[in-house]
């Protein structure tokens, strides 16, 4: 792969990854509720799912999913249901308070959310989005040189996409984390979970209206 093709791919993916779809809205939600450090697990879970989806897209299964309206719909609505479940659960969670306040109330500090659970949520949200597979099926061939060995080219594209996606995930999570102090100082601490839950419900709505390319 020549460097001009790679630069064009990086530029394309950089702006496409910035789009606030389900992955980015989940990262923003996790950043608000758990902070950017915990959201690293969100990025890892998302990238793990994306890597699997990339493999699926280049083995021919992606083309099958892209061509099958039924398969696309089944995967899509599973993803919508899971996002709505997370959104409602987050919306109904107790209002966010400082650890010191929680200990003063009952003497027991709140149990933190395990990082692996955040990663698992991100993995499921990403993996249940059939639009990602269709996207890879449509995007990757545009940057492959068929006269050259394909394995190395696909690996370069996959790693490049993963790096861009992870950087944007952390950007969204960091932005979400910076909102929390502002909300607390303004006396809107109870709205943190509502805001996070609303974003996840919105992500579910975005996925619900997604169509095959």
């Amino acid at each position: 792969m020549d460097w001009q093709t790679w630069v064009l791919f990086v530029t394309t993916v950089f702006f496409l990854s910035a789009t606030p779809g389900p992955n980015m809205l989940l990262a923003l939600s996790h950043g608000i509720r758990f902070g950017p450090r915990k959201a690293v697990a969100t990025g890892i879970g998302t990238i793990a799912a994306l890597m699997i989806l990339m493999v699926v897209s280049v083995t021919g299964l992606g083309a099958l999913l892209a061509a099958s309206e039924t398969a696309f719909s089944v995967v899509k609505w599973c993803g919508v249901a899971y996002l709505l479940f997370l959104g409602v659960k987050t919306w109904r969670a107790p209002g966010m308070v400082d650890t010191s306040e929680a200990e003063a109330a009952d003497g027991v500090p709140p149990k933190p959310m395990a990082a692996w659970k955040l990663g698992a949520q991100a993995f499921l949200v990403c993996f249940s989005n059939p639009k990602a597979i269709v996207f890879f099926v449509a995007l990757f061939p545009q940057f492959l040189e068929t006269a050259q060995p394909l394995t190395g080219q696909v690996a370069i594209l996959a790693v490049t996409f993963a790096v861009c996606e992870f950087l944007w995930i952390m950007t969204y999570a960091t932005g979400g984390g910076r909102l929390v102090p502002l909300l607390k100082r303004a006396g809107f601490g109870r709205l943190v979970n509502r805001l996070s839950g609303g974003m996840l419900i919105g992500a579910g709505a975005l996925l619900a209206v997604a169509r095959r390319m």
Side-chain angles (χ1 to χ4, degrees):
M1 176 180 294
D2 59 72
W3 68 269
Q4 294 98 329
T5 301
W6 181 78
V7 169
L8 179 59
F9 180 77
V10 171
T11 304
T12 303
V13 168
F14 181 81
F15 289 105
L16 288 175
S17 294
T19 305
N23 295 338
M24 297 306 161
L25 291 179
L26 180 68
L28 182 60
S29 173
H30 281 180
I32 290 174
R33 295 192 68 207
F34 309 108
R37 290 187 180 180
K38 279 285 188 73
V40 171
T42 305
I44 293 173
T46 301
I47 298 307
L50 283 174
M51 286 298 184
I52 294 175
L53 294 178
M54 289 181 205
V55 171
V56 169
S57 69
V58 298
T59 57
L61 295 177
L64 175 63
L65 180 59
S68 173
E69 183 70 40
T70 300
F72 184 91
S73 296
V74 168
V75 176
K76 181 182 81 170
W77 288 109
C78 285
V80 170
Y82 185 64
L83 280 167
L84 293 180
F85 166 76
L86 289 180
V88 172
K89 183 179 179 181
T90 301
W91 182 284
R92 298 177 62 184
M96 180 179 287
V97 295
D98 293 333
T99 301
S100 57
E101 295 176 353
E103 287 191 80
D106 55 16
V108 180
K111 186 177 180 180
M113 184 75 159
W116 71 266
K117 290 185 178 180
L118 300 184
Q121 286 183 0
F123 181 92
L124 290 174
V125 167
C126 181
F127 196 74
S128 59
N129 183 0
K131 192 76 172 178
I133 294 180
V134 178
F135 172 77
F136 292 135
V137 170
L139 180 68
F140 275 23
Q142 311 303 319
F143 298 91
L144 294 176
E145 298 176 15
T146 56
Q148 302 295 329
L150 296 180
T151 303
Q153 295 183 71
V154 171
I156 292 172
L157 296 181
V159 171
T160 300
F161 187 93
V163 170
C164 289
E165 188 81 0
F166 186 82
L167 289 176
W168 275 115
I169 285 172
M170 295 312 303
T171 299
Y172 273 76
T174 300
R178 289 181 177 176
L179 285 175
V180 176
L182 297 176
L183 290 172
K184 286 186 174 181
R185 281 199 296 270
F188 297 122
R190 290 183 176 274
L191 291 179
V192 171
N193 287 341
R194 274 57 173 186
L195 181 60
S196 298
M199 286 182 208
L200 294 175
I201 292 172
L206 284 175
L207 184 56
V209 298
R211 298 184 178 220
R212 293 181 300 160
M213 293 180 181

